[in-house]
Every structure is written in structure tokens, then in C-alpha cells.
Amino acid sequence: MVFLKEEKVKFAHCDPAGIVFYPRYMEMLNELVEDWFEEALGLPFKDMHKGEGMPTIDLKVQFKSPSRLGDLLLKSLWVKNIGKSSVTYGFDFKNNEKIAVIGEATLVYVDNDGDGKIFSKPWSDTLRAKLEKYVNH
């Protein structure tokens, strides 16, 4: 299964030449991840980020073609690997079937002990089962 969302390129995403400024793609990616956790996995960030968290520990990205003001991007996310407390996912953003951005990232599920020490937190069986639905075989 693949998690999909559409996003229209807005003025705020673009540089003076009218193309998406590359850091804005990372903001769009973060929004995709946040929507995936809330809509598909049932774990909204507003509930999770009361001690727990989901930091990105690795990110690889390739910019393949430009996107311009007004373009409609189809953002896709799928799971490549699930660890004890981590998940590596692949993603791409397509503009009219042409890949604009492609890559992968790894997140780690973390918690804290109340004294500021952060540690990785294993996935619950329920959350692991939901993640497994998005493994791209």
C-alpha cells in the first residue's frame, strides 16, 4: 500500500524564478509524514508529541525536475523497512507523472524518562501492524 496526498505548489513554496525552493520540498515531506501518522496510522502528532517524538535520523533526496507555481504534486510514501523502533520509508513527489523529488528517510520512535533523557521506544504490536500495511514488496 502507498499513502498518497496531493499538494498544489503555492507562491510561498517558490523562489523569485517561480520554481519550488528545494527546502520547501522538505516541509512538504514533513507534512506528508504527519498526515500519514494521523490519517493512516491513527497516531496524530498532536497526541504523540507530549513526551514522545518521531525525529528523522537519516534523509536521502534527489531533485529530478523542477516544480512551478500552480503545479499539482502527487506525494507518495511507502515503507521500505521496519526496525524495532525505526521505520525507513521511501517517497516521491510527481508532477504530471514526472518525478520531481525522490528519496528515503528513517524515523525513530522516541520517548523520554521525564529527566530529559531520550530513548528509542519499540513499536507497539498494533502500530507495527499498521506500518506493515505500507511495506512496498
Side-chain angles (χ1 to χ4, degrees):
M1 190 180 321
V2 176
F3 183 74
L4 301 169
K5 293 290 275 196
E6 288 185 335
E7 183 159 356
K8 186 175 182 179
V9 175
K10 302 209 169 124
F11 182 75
H13 298 134
C14 297
D15 64 15
I19 61 173
V20 173
F21 182 47
Y22 72 93
R24 300 297 176 249
Y25 283 121
M26 299 306 93
E27 293 171 352
M28 292 178 198
L29 177 61
N30 192 68
E31 291 170 3
L32 179 64
V33 170
E34 192 169 336
D35 289 344
W36 179 51
F37 268 84
E38 182 170 353
E39 296 170 21
L41 305 178
L43 186 58
F45 276 23
K46 69 178 178 67
D47 295 338
M48 180 191 353
H49 283 85
K50 294 177 181 172
E52 301 168 315
M54 195 70 58
T56 299
I57 63 161
D58 190 44
L59 175 64
K60 297 174 184 78
V61 63
Q62 292 181 331
F63 304 97
K64 297 290 193 175
S65 64
S67 300
R68 300 184 185 286
L69 181 61
D71 287 349
L72 186 61
L73 299 175
L74 179 61
K75 304 185 300 185
S76 303
L77 181 151
W78 59 91
V79 171
K80 296 180 86 171
N81 185 51
I82 305 169
K84 181 179 175 184
S85 58
S86 66
V87 61
T88 299
Y89 65 89
F91 65 91
D92 64 36
F93 296 2
K94 291 182 182 172
N95 181 1
N96 290 323
E97 299 297 319
K98 187 174 183 181
I99 293 176
V101 178
I102 190 166
E104 70 176 45
T106 301
L107 305 172
V108 175
Y109 194 25
V110 298
D111 206 342
N112 69 66
D113 64 2
D115 291 327
K117 293 182 183 172
I118 297 173
F119 57 92
S120 62
K121 180 178 180 175
W123 303 114
S124 68
D125 292 340
T126 302
L127 192 50
R128 178 177 289 278
K130 290 178 181 180
L131 289 167
E132 287 173 351
K133 292 178 183 178
Y134 289 89
V135 173
N136 193 5
H137 296 285

